[in-house]
Amino acid sequence: MMIVSPKASPETRLDDNNSQATTDAKPFFQKSLDASPYPHLFTPLDLGFTTLKNRVVMGSMHTGLEDRFYNYGKLAAYFAERAKGGVAMMITGGISPNREGWLLPAGGTMNSKLDVINHQRVTRAVHKFDSKIIMQILHSGRYGYHPFVVSASAIKSPISPFKPRKMSIKNIEQTIDDFARAAKLAKQAGYDGVEIMGSEGYLLNQFLSRHVNKRDDEFGGDIFGRMKLAVEVVKAVRAAVGVDFIILFRLSMIDLVKDGNTMDEVIATAKALEAAGVTILNTGIGWHEARVPTIVTSVPRAAFTDFTAAVKNAVNIPVMAANRINMPETAEQILIEGQADLIQMARPFLADPNWVNKAQQGEAHRINTCIACNQACLDHTFENKRSTCLVNPQACYETELVYKPTKRPKKVAVVGGGVAGMSAAHVAALRGHDVTLFEARDSLGGQFNYAKVIPGKEEFFETIRYFINELASLNVDIQLNTTVDKAMLNDSGFDHVIVATGVVPRSLKDTLEGAELPQVMSYAELLSGQKAVGGTVAVIGAGGIGFDVSEYLTTRHAKPLNEIGAKQLNDPSYRPQAQSVASWREEWGVTCDPDYQSAGGLVTPDAITPARQVYLIQRSKGRLGRGLNKTSGWVHRAHIKSHGVIQVSGVHYEKITNEGLWITNAQGQSQLLRVDSIVVCAGQESVADLMPNVGDAPSAQYHLIGGAKLAAELDAKRAIRDGAEVAAGI
Ligand code: FAD
Ligand code: NAP
Ligand code: SF4
């Protein structure tokens, strides 16, 4: 299979005067070509009645703050911070037009005068910074998590326990009115426009696709019947808000579900939406129930932009690209290639509210990059918790976690340059303290250095790069190759010592016979390249690291740290080669043809030949990977399945010999797994021996953070937040 190059050409341009797409030889972005490192990204877009100051849009994210009126002050601060950061336009989390459309019971609404007053706090805060704000109207349809759910047909979704009621014609007409009323109120609240959510498998997408729409009335049948609800909603909204108001429509460019639409049907819908009054078409990729990942970190950057380009070439309104775009080079390239007119990023603005200003000032190396882990944003949404960000704990806590400049600068020692220590050093220095960071190894990053060599986790490089550049710009004194002991800290003159000495892999040498044999190694020895494995491998421990190591061992292009090369490791701009878009699509069964005729863009995935035979083993009974994160765990489980990893649970480890690993299996029988090598991923232990003992009277104040504080259930989210919180308080 090969990627067919998109139809878009660099000459396709938006005319500055009339916002109509035209194709001529004049350069699209001539005005600012010399002024910025990303000239296309920073060319304004004239919509006729209003202008977007650049091509960057913050996409809709449900933060959890929009559901309660008493959180609207925090929501306003969250949006204001990003408006200040230079983004041209932002889209709120989904607001339902009515009760049936709630995602969760009592979700955010725009139904009344009181709602208008609450939302005004947001729009006023944003408009102080020359940015635009759009309210997304989202009707969840059968994705709603409550008993009032409705849909095109009475077919339950695999991701909600509630079976929907089939909407009657009267119900449909009322829903169209509800969309229009919500839009009108949004205009009164000061919004610059609305986005009508028509993708990701929500109500309008449910009507658009045969996957759910089995109706035989005027709202079903062929694509023209199935698109009728979406088109009528747009017409009603346009009639309610007038001509000088932005209407975005988020259209599913590829459904990635059985019986999903073909590209011809997507284009027919796009043209009808344009005629109905849409100002800008936004990209949606895949339904939430699709079994193809669309935003997790292992999805290559800009993996879907050729589908957006196919639609852009068919319409005369601006089209916005989305999904796994997180750095300016990628965004600029999409614009250069004429694949889209605007770039939408959502999570990258949780990670760094100043993304746009940094890009404009040529400081992309200082962007705190979204690593697409979902751990603190989408996973929180599914746990009904407020969203925040693993790499930026201030996100959605702008009024609560504040890094105030200090009035009394102190001498601060941070011991340990893992993510906890780097985060603490960063915040302490940002506040004006005099910071020294000690690291035993020759590079910063700690355990994150192992994470970043896992195939599909290449983005983790960016976090280390970000911290290295920030610490340098804040003149933190970084002492590499320095193992700190207690004597060095005594009488060293530090006012504060932050102990961030992290964790070491748990060794089984004292508890499992044969664990000292040379073919047995920790994950750190494997991933650093200190030890090599043979063709068959047993992985002891099926937590997050056991899964990652199994993926590393079965993937053909995986490389350990020592093969990446010291030069590149110390170069903060270095990024490893991630999997290509074409190879990723072949693996997951996504068409490589932007004009796809297969339903939902699905094709048969290629068979995979794993690099090794791997057994992934745990003592607990039941399915492996139950503790993995909600929104990414299924991707890891699917990966090891497609790479032939043999999953073994409910075992007791007996011993290791030169023949392999002896276990008592779940049936109580002794069994030999004939393997060449054994990798131990059995959790970690804290390293905290620098903390004063009871009775000591140190001159400095000591703080314990990250893995050093607690190894159990440690992840980078806790480590980075710990560091930031401690440093914010000294
Ligand atoms: P560490 O990373 O252990 O850092 C401690 C640092 O202190 C080390 O650099 C060490 O050399 C230094 N040090 C120790 N003693 C001294 C001393 N006396 N003097 C000077 N320096 C010293 N987490 C996630 O949230 N999501 C993931 O997807 C994820 N994937 C992972 C994948 C792998 C393969 C691995 C191994 C880990 C992964 N993690 C992930 C876990 C995450 O990397 C850790 O939770 C996090 O890095 C812990 O950070 P820390 O700073 O507390 O400790
Ligand atoms: P973990 O999730 O606690 O898993 C440790 C595994 O080792 C468990 O499967 C456990 O299962 C087994 N184990 C524990 N003690 C053992 C012993 N004495 N002998 C044999 N087996 C033992 O920890 P981890 O995999 O080391 O990961 C560390 C942290 O990094 C995690 O908490 C996670 O949050 C983070 N991480 C996250 C991701 C991600 O994708 N989000 C990826 C990697 C790591 P049994 O007891 O059933 O055998
Ligand atoms: Fe991105 Fe992870 Fe932060 Fe979410 S938590 S915004 S995915 S870095």
Side-chain angles (χ1 to χ4, degrees), residues 59-82:
S60 172
M61 283 178 286
H62 187 86
T63 63
L65 291 173
E66 47 287 275
D67 293 337
R68 301 290 172 263
F69 72 90
Y70 51 78
N71 279 332
Y72 270 67
K74 289 175 191 160
L75 190 64
Y78 156 78
F79 278 117
E81 192 65 18
R82 280 136 189 99

Side-chain angles (χ1 to χ4, degrees), residues 375 416 419-420 439-440 446-447 457 482 484 501-503 548 707 714-716:
Q375 284 176 241
V419 288
E439 168 53 49
Q447 296 273 310
K457 282 194 164 177
T482 309
V484 172
T501 41
V503 290
D548 276 356
L714 167 69
D715 61 12

Side-chain angles (χ1 to χ4, degrees), residues 389-463:
C389 175
L390 178 140
V391 299
N392 173 23
Q394 280 188 311
C396 300
Y397 288 82
E398 284 75 14
T399 58
E400 293 148 279
L401 180 57
V402 181
Y403 305 150
K404 279 197 197 119
T406 182
K407 291 197 177 112
R408 279 184 287 278
K410 301 272 171 49
K411 277 193 75 174
V412 178
V414 180
V415 187
V419 288
M422 292 193 294
S423 167
H426 174 225
V427 174
L430 202 62
R431 296 186 52 223
H433 293 301
D434 174 7
V435 181
T436 307
L437 174 61
F438 298 100
E439 168 53 49
R441 294 184 215 162
D442 61 0
S443 57
L444 295 175
Q447 296 273 310
F448 235 52
N449 283 310
Y450 304 130
K452 74 188 185 187
V453 298
I454 303 295
K457 282 194 164 177
E458 293 81 7
E459 294 288 2
F460 285 47
F461 267 84
E462 301 285 7
T463 304

Side-chain angles (χ1 to χ4, degrees), residues 31 88 90 102 191 215 233 249 348 363 420-421 705:
K31 259 202 308 205
M90 296 181 284
W102 283 341
Y191 283 104
R215 302 174 75 100
V233 163
F249 189 96
E363 299 215 300
I705 62 168

